[in-house]
């Protein structure tokens, strides 16, 4: 399934969404399959969830079922059972292989209110010109330093800059970003930290970040939707 986190619901953590989704499964009467053992859990597998506070149009998960259901009816039932802003966009029959194996890159949009597009463009150029850009982030294992440059496949200030804040007369730079999935993961905030390191770019207000797509990155720089291989008119069966 593909789902979205929109508006204020972008502040929902992955754990909060997981709890909400399990409640939605029960409300919708979905014949979910459970794991074996003393503490059975619903068979739900999440793929590369977006960080808390980040919007997304391309979150993915996979569920196991005990019986066949119609994909569109399942989507509608779950979408109705979730809060507006947590929106189930598509459901397809899962084919062979793991969903996570079909995701190795993400496409992001970073909106930087009150940042002049020309200033953002200069910072992006400095980032691209650098052989490496070391940034720091606090992780579960403590503070880590890593290179944010090598994971970036594409980054540029778009021609649409200034549109989101045009109504109040303030500039707004919009950065288009494609990042490969590496370990440790390089997130949009790491790239923003890198722009601060190489060019001193510090947005005066918090950026608004949205994931637009994720999937397999082709040699041409395009991202293939992980559900593409499974799209067909068929019922979802238990696995």
């Amino acid at each position: 399934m593909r789902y979205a986190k929109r508006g204020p619901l972008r502040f929902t953590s992955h754990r909060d969404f997981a709890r909400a989704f399990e409640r939605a499964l029960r409300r919708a009467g979905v014949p979910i399959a459970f794991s074996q053992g003393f503490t059975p859990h619903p068979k739900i597998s999440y793929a590369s969830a977006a960080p808390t506070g980040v919007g997304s149009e391309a979150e993915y998960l996979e569920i196991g079922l005990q019986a066949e259901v119609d994909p569109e009816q399942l989507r509608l039932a779950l979408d109705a059972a979730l809060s507006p802003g947590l929106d189930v966009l598509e459901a397809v029959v899962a084919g062979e292989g793991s969903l996570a194996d079909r995701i190795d890159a993400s496409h992001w949009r970073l909106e930087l209110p009150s940042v002049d597009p020309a200033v953002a463009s200069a910072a992006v150029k400095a980032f691209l010109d650098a052989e490496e850009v070391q940034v720091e982030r606090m992780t579960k294992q403590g503070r880590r330093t890593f290179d944010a440059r090598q994971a970036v496949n594409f980054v540029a200030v778009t021609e649409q800059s200034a549109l989101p804040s045009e109504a109040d007369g303030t500039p707004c730079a919009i950065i288009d970003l494609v990042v490969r999935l590496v370990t440790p993961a390089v997130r949009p905030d790491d790239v923003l930290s890198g722009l601060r390191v190489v060019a001193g770019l510090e947005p005066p207000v918090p950026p608004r970040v949205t994931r637009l797509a994720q999937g397999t990155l082709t040699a041409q720089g395009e991202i293939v939707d992980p559900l593409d291989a499974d799209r067909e008119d068929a019922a979802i069966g238990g696995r």
Side-chain angles (χ1 to χ4, degrees), residues 21-205:
F21 187 72
E22 290 187 25
R23 289 195 298 269
L25 288 169
R26 292 194 293 271
R27 289 195 196 102
V30 176
I32 188 74
F34 285 81
S35 62
Q36 303 297 314
F38 292 105
T39 56
H41 298 286
K43 288 189 174 182
I44 308 172
S45 177
Y46 297 92
S48 188
T52 303
V54 170
S56 179
E57 295 296 316
E59 300 299 286
Y60 293 90
L61 60 83
E62 187 172 17
I63 62 175
L65 301 177
Q66 302 179 44
E68 293 186 357
V69 299
D70 177 82
E72 180 60 12
Q73 292 303 314
L74 174 66
R75 185 197 72 79
L76 291 171
L78 286 173
D79 189 53
L82 286 165
S83 299
L86 297 177
D87 303 321
V88 182
L89 305 178
E90 187 174 8
V92 299
V93 178
E96 296 296 326
S98 167
L99 183 62
D101 290 342
R102 304 179 188 179
I103 296 176
D104 61 18
S106 287
H107 180 195
W108 304 87
R109 182 179 66 227
L110 286 59
E111 298 179 16
L112 311 182
S114 300
V115 173
D116 188 280
V119 173
S121 293
V124 165
K125 184 179 185 305
F127 182 91
L128 290 173
D129 288 345
E131 290 189 7
E132 65 176 30
V133 179
Q134 295 292 321
V135 298
E136 288 188 348
R137 189 209 310 154
M138 183 62 71
T139 69
K140 293 179 181 179
Q141 291 75 38
R143 185 168 293 280
R144 296 194 61 177
T145 300
F146 54 93
D147 181 15
R149 173 66 185 89
Q150 295 306 311
V152 175
N153 183 75
F154 175 84
V155 60
V157 176
T158 76
E159 296 179 356
Q160 299 169 336
S161 292
L163 291 179
S165 300
E166 196 171 46
D168 60 15
T170 61
C172 180
I174 302 176
I175 294 177
D176 202 33
L177 173 69
V178 176
V179 180
R180 293 186 299 273
L181 186 62
V182 297
T183 303
V186 173
R187 309 183 309 199
D189 56 315
D190 298 320
V191 175
L192 290 172
S193 294
L195 295 176
R196 182 174 65 251
V197 168
V198 299
L201 179 65
E202 296 202 37
V205 297

